[in-house]
Amino acid sequence: MQAFAACSKVPISPVCSGNYRAKAALPCKALAVKEALPLKAVLLSTGSTARSVLLRPCKGCIPTHMQSGPSKRNGRSPLPLVRAQAADGEAAKPVVPSDGTVLPYVGIACLGAILFGYHLGVVNGALEYLAKDLGIATNTVLQGWVVSSTLAGATIGSFTGGALADQFGCTRTFQFDSIPLIIGAMLSATANSVHAMIAGRFLVGLGIGISSALVPLYISEISPTEIRGALGSVNQLFICVGILIALVAGLPLAGNPIWWRTMFWAAVVPAFLLGFGMLFAPESPRWLFKQGKVAETQIAIKKLWGDKKLDSTMTSLRAGGSETAGEDAGWGDLFSSRYQKVVTIGAALFLFQQFAGINAVVYYSTSVFRTAGITSDVAASALVGAANVFGTMVASSLMDKQGRKKLLITSFLGMSFSMLLLSLGLSWPSLAAYSGTLAVLGTVSYILAFSLGAGPVPALLLPEIFPSKIRAKAVSLSLGVHWVTNFMIGLYFLSAVTKFGVSRVYQGFAAVCLVAAIYISQNVVETKGKSLEEIEMELSPAA
């Protein structure tokens, strides 16, 4: 639980008493504020429940020498906030920056994100050529199975990834995951029949489904609090990079029709590196602690965050020990009254993400750009991909400054406006002369808005808001919702366009985006700057 209070109103006993339970209301100057600091952070606790406390000093308690001089900014006196977290009887400690090595392991995990994007994008350029080679050029049903078998495998994989991570840990599950990714890519590359191709695509779908849940889970659990948002959004960035790589890989197809086999062979390399790299990557300290492996937990903490973070991290893990102790939660526990709210929020974020129309915009982007005179499908796809990558990079830089919630709301509002712009450009006769320009502006602005929040934030936010006991399974459930919704929209989108028209469908997407912004403003909590244990205690207090 987080507390905010004016220091003169905080009921607290003198620091020297060693007992932090409330006894009397004292002004903050009684807290023996050090002369070098404008305030002292003090831990409030009730019973054995640790709390993260933010104290703001009253003006009278700031030493005189600190009030003089250029201490005012924007016409206001700076009243700084200090966060402290400790157990009963322990003095609060300042936040210590991490000095370990986490980036290489985030990079290894993001090979799974690259493969996610690559396998989703590679078939788009290769389908026409592999269909001719496999004798299904005129059979659209079998071509549809080549595409949809990946989605089917991904749906199954997303539901199983969490259970595997709970049982074996993230690094071991990544190693397991590399097996279907390698075998599936090899089957696809060497396929001489449509059945072999479908089997290969199903296996890679299984692999990317597991990694879609595993990558954000692992990154969130090994990232330092102060940069967790930036590192978490890298997942979405590398998905976009994977899609772009698939686009570039398809360029030689026009001159070499059997190049599609090389495109599938290329996916074997990052899959092998993912499995091999995880042999050297540290396991999540939080998973190790849940397993009772305290010595291994300390080794992982030192490796990831440095020696200076060891004591504070172990204290934080022990403070949440009652929550993480015992067996992992079962699937049925996700829907208990204790966890129902956060699980519903997680599923809702991915429902809104998919029903906001991202797949529809990407699907129609080539035809939209043709109306504006951009006849090259490659150029159109490259423009969409570049906008997605650029927006995600901006989001990564803002994630730990502006916060997840603000980016989500801004993103969905921007997407709603862009959808209305697209709808107007396609339906208003008075704007017919500008329809091409409006359509391109609407498409690019929609992609930018999506990549600022709705794209990267859900996969980052979910591992943050889910308690450690249900985190892996709850992330898997939410990603399962993502894949099922993705499949359903792909199945019925064209039918909806045929019945209602593109403009009306886009208006429906705009309405969904507006509802999403309202829902997020009322239900989603801000998680920037908080450790996973702090968030857990705030959202899921002990029963």
Side-chain angles (χ1 to χ4, degrees):
M1 184 70 70
Q2 216 170 53
F4 297 87
C7 52
S8 59
K9 303 295 184 182
V10 176
I12 193 77
S13 63
V15 172
C16 60
S17 71
N19 182 354
Y20 292 104
R21 292 186 177 85
K23 289 184 177 178
L26 298 175
C28 63
K29 61 185 179 182
L31 301 182
V33 178
K34 292 182 180 179
E35 197 172 86
L37 295 173
L39 67 99
K40 182 178 178 70
V42 179
L43 181 73
L44 296 178
S45 66
T46 303
S48 61
T49 303
R51 298 184 182 184
S52 175
V53 180
L54 297 177
L55 299 180
R56 190 185 294 274
C58 60
K59 186 175 180 181
C61 296
I62 301 177
T64 304
H65 72 275
M66 297 195 70
Q67 296 182 35
S68 60
S71 61
K72 294 185 178 182
R73 287 184 294 180
N74 302 323
R76 294 182 295 180
S77 298
L79 298 178
L81 295 175
V82 170
R83 184 187 303 272
Q85 172 118 17
D88 285 346
E90 290 181 329
K93 296 181 181 180
V95 175
V96 179
S98 301
D99 60 353
T101 306
V102 71
L103 292 181
Y105 309 118
V106 171
I108 294 171
C110 281
L111 288 171
I114 291 175
L115 286 166
F116 183 146
Y118 186 84
H119 280 298
L120 288 181
V122 70
V123 75
N124 292 333
L127 184 61
E128 176 186 350
Y129 300 93
L130 70 84
K132 290 178 181 178
D133 276 5
L134 301 179
I136 58 170
T138 59
N139 193 328
T140 55
V141 173
L142 287 178
Q143 290 182 38
W145 272 105
V146 170
V147 176
S148 60
S149 58
T150 305
L151 296 179
T155 302
I156 297 172
S158 64
F159 281 114
T160 59
L164 290 171
D166 272 342
Q167 181 70 30
F168 302 105
C170 287
T171 56
R172 185 68 60 84
T173 304
F174 270 121
Q175 294 168 39
F176 293 154
D177 187 36
S178 67
I179 296 172
L181 287 170
I182 292 172
I183 295 175
M186 293 174 67
L187 267 177
S188 301
T190 58
N192 290 314
S193 68
V194 67
H195 301 94
M197 175 58 71
I198 291 173
R201 296 296 294 163
F202 177 82
L203 284 175
V204 296
L206 189 67
I208 65 173
I210 294 173
S211 64
S212 69
L214 206 57
V215 173
L217 175 65
Y218 181 67
I219 292 177
S220 72
E221 294 208 340
I222 69 169
S223 297
T225 300
E226 61 269 20
I227 57 170
R228 192 178 62 240
L231 293 182
S233 59
V234 167
N235 174 49
Q236 179 68 21
L237 176 62
F238 277 99
I239 292 174
C240 301
V241 169
I243 294 172
L244 281 177
I245 291 174
L247 172 67
V248 173
L251 292 177
L253 279 169
N256 184 4
I258 63 170
W259 178 256
W260 64 269
R261 295 187 182 274
T262 305
M263 294 168 67
F264 287 113
W265 273 117
V268 173
V269 177
F272 171 79
L273 292 177
L274 174 65
F276 182 73
M278 281 296 163
L279 291 172
F280 307 97
E283 184 52 75
S284 160
R286 293 175 172 92
W287 182 83
L288 291 170
F289 189 81
K290 280 202 304 178
Q291 305 304 308
K293 301 178 180 180
V294 177
E296 293 180 42
T297 302
Q298 294 175 336
I299 293 172
I301 291 170
K302 291 179 181 179
K303 192 171 186 179
L304 290 167
W305 306 322
D307 293 345
K308 295 179 181 179
K309 297 281 283 187
L310 178 60
D311 291 340
S312 61
T313 303
M314 290 302 297
T315 299
S316 183
L317 289 173
R318 290 188 179 106
S322 60
E323 171 65 21
T324 59
E327 295 181 0
D328 291 312
W331 287 103
D333 295 324
L334 301 184
F335 306 100
S336 66
S337 57
R338 185 176 183 183
Y339 301 125
Q340 188 176 28
K341 182 178 180 180
V342 288
V343 171
T344 301
I345 291 172
L349 286 178
F350 275 112
L351 280 173
F352 284 130
Q353 183 195 67
Q354 293 303 303
F355 279 111
I358 178 62
N359 291 325
V361 170
V362 173
Y363 181 86
Y364 267 101
S365 61
T366 53
S367 60
V368 163
F369 287 126
R370 283 174 186 167
T371 63
I374 303 175
T375 57
S376 171
D377 290 352
V378 173
S381 299
L383 184 57
V384 170
N388 204 352
V389 170
F390 175 75
T392 306
M393 291 175 67
V394 173
S396 180
S397 66
L398 296 176
M399 203 69 70
D400 291 307
K401 298 176 182 177
Q402 299 300 320
R404 288 69 151 151
K405 185 174 182 177
K406 184 181 292 187
L407 286 178
L408 271 177
I409 294 173
T410 303
S411 175
F412 276 108
L413 290 177
M415 290 158 64
S416 182
F417 172 78
S418 301
M419 275 294 184
L420 290 175
L421 194 64
L422 276 167
S423 178
L424 291 176
L426 293 170
S427 61
W428 277 29
S430 58
L431 297 175
Y434 310 101
S435 61
T437 302
L438 287 175
V440 171
L441 285 175
T443 299
V444 174
S445 63
Y446 179 93
I447 296 295
L448 283 172
F450 175 85
S451 61
L452 280 174
V457 171
L460 164 65
L461 189 65
L462 266 54
E464 293 182 325
I465 66 173
F466 291 145
S468 58
K469 198 164 188 175
I470 66 165
R471 186 171 293 141
K473 288 187 176 69
V475 169
S476 288
L477 177 66
S478 300
L479 266 298
V481 169
H482 161 85
W483 286 110
V484 170
T485 310
N486 191 328
F487 178 79
M488 296 299 291
I489 290 176
L491 191 62
Y492 293 109
F493 172 68
L494 291 179
S495 299
V497 168
T498 302
K499 185 173 183 178
F500 302 107
V502 177
S503 180
R504 290 287 180 86
V505 172
Y506 279 4
Q507 289 171 19
F509 288 146
V512 170
C513 292
L514 187 60
V515 171
I518 296 171
Y519 176 86
I520 290 164
S521 67
Q522 296 178 348
N523 293 280
V524 174
V525 299
E526 183 53 67
T527 60
K528 72 167 183 174
K530 302 176 185 178
S531 72
L532 297 184
E533 287 70 35
E534 286 179 295
I535 298 167
E536 181 170 341
M537 284 189 285
E538 182 176 339
L539 292 178
S540 301

